[in-house]
Amino acid sequence: MKQEPRYEEAFAELQTIVRKMENDELDIDQMSEQLEKAQALIKLCKDKLTKTDEE
């Protein structure tokens, strides 16, 4: 089973995706793939923040 990335790693990857989108470095197929990945990373980061806040 693949280990879930740490918050910092997920956030850094999300920033990379945003930078590539802002700089038009992705074609339409890559953009679709990266948007799905970004959604998963946002959920992961949000869940980690919520869990930390609850603790």
Side-chain angles (χ1 to χ4, degrees), residues 11-52:
F11 190 74
E13 189 170 354
L14 191 53
Q15 288 178 308
T16 299
I17 293 170
V18 170
R19 180 189 51 77
K20 286 180 179 181
M21 287 180 176
E22 289 176 339
N23 293 326
D24 295 323
E25 296 176 26
L26 303 171
D27 64 33
I28 193 70
D29 294 322
Q30 291 172 318
M31 182 153 321
S32 176
E33 179 182 303
Q34 292 299 301
L35 279 171
E36 286 181 27
K37 191 171 195 175
Q39 288 174 326
L41 290 168
I42 290 168
K43 182 180 180 335
L44 183 132
C45 289
K46 184 178 177 182
D47 290 348
K48 285 184 181 277
L49 288 172
T50 300
K51 181 180 176 189
T52 301

